[in-house]
Amino acid sequence: MPKRLACVVGARPNFMKIAPLIRTLNQESFRDKAKVTLIHTGQHYDANLSDVFFAELGMPAPDVSLEVGSGSHAAQTARILERMERVLLNGPPSGGTFDYVVVVGDVNSTLAAAIAAAKLGVRIAHIEAGLRSFDRSMPEEINRLVTDSIADLLFVSEPAGVENLICEGHPAESIKLVGNVMIDTLHHMSARANKLAIAQQLGLRPREYGVITMHRPSNVDSNSTLAALVDVLIDISDEIPFVFPVHPRTSNALDRAGLRQRMEKTANLWLMEPLGYLPFLSLTSQARVIVTDSGGLQEESTALGIPCLTLRSNTERPITVDLGTSTLIGNDADKLRNALRDVLSGQYKSGICPELWDGRAAERIASVLVVD
Ligand code: UD1
């Protein structure tokens, strides 16, 4: 009897984490052993935050769309919880009940789907378990803690995650250090991304530009914090051009803080709409430096060996700092300015790619899911 897996996605970073698992489970060696139902909560619904990833990553259309949309954390979580419960009670299209709800990452959809499953006694597999920033002011940290506390199988991307889970009292047999599914996607998509040569299309030369992304409340919700960071980017853009795909939350923040006009007038600073996976990877993989508050990009830059100035004061992904090329900057504008100068003067540290970030994490996960 194949394992019946309800795989849940909701927000942008979930798509590249689930794609390699679905691809693996569709391969000859797993096809008869698992049956996937793909559920999209609709936390992200804009085409450039959602549909484009399905197309590029070759994902099947969701079997179920919950269409929850935006809202406060409580409202969004509650809507997912209620709609997920119905889906789980209905069970898989082939009948019976789900063997596992598979959730990825740390977004509100991850948490809500896990709670719905736990309440119905459906087992939970969490991919990217165990990561801890130890900063409970981050909504994602609450999502990680609660999801792991009720998950039955904990798939971990780096050794610190295993230590955290052991410290929290999880039984060792529930914890599987499998590597990083996001890097599986990076490996799988690199050749196609490189062919796009987005930088060249923008008139930029490889290793002679920087890529910026930010969307965390700690960076964009306060006008003065955001303005100080933007000032640095405008100043340093005299020395290196920056490309900045803008998340909707940040777009609203730039308008609210009255910063957009100045940025748009800066010749070497290009604001653009959020990019799809392929054009974005094409840009980042040829960048000289990445400035970001994204969790995934800390990992991708580590795998690519590109300096990453992380606009966070802590990270749940310590290996990206210990082994990789990431440095924590917080939202300290002076620190950002100095670190950018270090990169430009060739003083920046080099890094190595962590063990098991080898493009085969999904295979390891699939092997556990189909037997457990
Ligand atoms: C969410 C995740 C965050 C992840 C990020 C990646 C949580 C708590 N946060 O943050 O961990 O790093 O996704 O992007 O789950 N909006 C749109 N179009 C959309 C979706 C959202 O315009 O398709 C706007 C809405 O105004 C919404 C705001 O963005 O209120 C924030 O969206 P939300 O999903 O709540 O959080 P993100 O900031 O995207």
Side-chain angles (χ1 to χ4, degrees):
M1 176 72 133
K3 293 280 182 223
R4 288 155 300 194
L5 308 175
C7 294
V8 182
V9 290
R12 180 169 63 177
N14 291 163
F15 307 128
M16 35 292 212
K17 292 173 190 168
I18 212 76
L21 181 64
I22 292 182
R23 197 177 55 249
T24 303
L25 291 169
N26 277 331
Q27 282 166 5
E28 188 77 50
S29 46
F30 288 104
R31 206 173 296 143
D32 300 334
K33 298 182 186 147
K35 198 96 199 96
V36 171
T37 302
L38 181 59
I39 300 165
H40 188 344
T41 66
Q43 175 174 347
H44 282 176
Y45 44 84
D46 280 355
N48 59 8
L49 293 187
S50 177
D51 297 359
V52 67
F53 294 94
F54 277 77
E56 290 180 331
L57 299 170
M59 301 226 298
D63 300 291
V64 183
S65 292
L66 303 181
E67 296 179 354
V68 299
S70 300
S72 69
H73 285 271
Q76 190 174 60
T77 307
R79 279 202 293 269
I80 300 169
L81 194 48
E82 205 173 357
R83 294 178 198 184
M84 261 310 284
E85 180 181 61
R86 235 173 288 150
V87 174
L88 295 178
L89 284 171
N90 284 341
S94 54
T97 52
F98 287 109
D99 294 295
Y100 273 104
V101 167
V102 181
V103 293
V104 290
D106 55 15
V107 303
N108 287 345
S109 301
T110 312
L111 167 80
I115 295 176
K119 293 280 181 177
L120 292 173
V122 181
R123 286 188 295 173
I124 300 159
H126 183 204
I127 298 178
E128 207 183 86
L131 299 183
R132 299 288 180 267
S133 65
F134 302 101
D135 173 3
R136 291 196 183 187
S137 69
M138 282 182 82
E140 293 81 2
E141 182 73 354
I142 307 297
N143 295 345
R144 293 180 201 116
L145 280 162
V146 178
T147 303
D148 286 343
S149 73
I150 52 178
D152 302 273
L153 267 178
L154 299 150
F155 292 111
V156 184
S157 53
E158 61 170 281
V162 175
E163 281 167 40
N164 295 333
L165 291 168
I166 297 277
C167 285
E168 287 169 19
H170 291 275
E173 58 278 13
S174 65
I175 305 169
K176 317 278 178 193
L177 182 63
V178 290
N180 193 321
V181 280
M182 197 152 211
I183 305 306
D184 287 8
T185 295
L186 187 145
H187 279 248
H188 189 68
M189 303 294 275
S190 281
R192 275 174 67 197
N194 288 341
K195 280 202 198 114
L196 288 182
I198 297 293
Q200 287 84 336
Q201 286 180 37
L202 295 171
L204 297 166
R205 282 198 291 264
R207 309 285 168 232
E208 293 187 14
Y209 63 92
V211 174
I212 317 291
T213 81
M214 56 174 118
H215 67 281
R216 301 254 168 235
S218 57
N219 291 321
V220 307
D221 283 4
S222 144
N223 290 356
S224 57
T225 302
L226 184 59
L229 294 172
V230 165
D231 276 346
V232 175
L233 299 177
I234 290 176
D235 286 353
I236 304 280
S237 72
D238 278 346
E239 297 162 52
I240 183 168
F242 289 121
V243 184
F244 187 170
V246 184
H247 185 281
R249 175 192 278 277
T250 313
S251 185
N252 294 336
L254 293 178
D255 289 330
R256 189 197 58 230
L259 293 166
R260 185 185 295 277
Q261 233 185 355
R262 254 182 76 221
M263 293 175 86
E264 283 178 349
K265 275 205 218 134
T266 304
N268 267 342
L269 178 58
W270 294 327
L271 301 187
M272 49 175 74
E273 292 290 312
L275 293 170
Y277 184 82
L278 284 169
F280 191 67
L281 178 59
S282 167
L283 263 186
T284 52
S285 58
Q286 299 198 325
R288 174 82 170 272
V289 62
I290 294 169
V291 178
T292 190
D293 57 15
S294 144
L297 209 36
Q298 291 170 52
E299 298 181 333
E300 288 163 339
S301 57
T302 283
L304 292 164
I306 293 181
C308 180
L309 308 181
T310 300
L311 298 173
R312 301 260 312 270
S313 51
N314 50 53
T315 180
E316 61 287 340
R317 297 161 159 90
I319 208 163
T320 61
V321 175
D322 297 342
L323 293 188
T325 51
S326 173
T327 299
L328 296 178
I329 302 293
N331 50 24
D332 181 333
D334 288 334
K335 219 168 161 184
L336 175 61
R337 191 185 302 272
N338 292 336
L340 279 167
R341 292 251 151 81
D342 283 349
V343 173
L344 295 180
S345 63
Q347 313 265 308
Y348 197 79
K349 65 170 182 162
S350 53
I352 57 166
C353 189
E355 219 180 310
L356 298 179
W357 292 22
D358 58 358
R360 306 188 64 179
E363 239 173 84
R364 297 183 194 104
I365 292 170
S367 309
V368 175
L369 282 174
V370 297
V371 295
D372 228 346

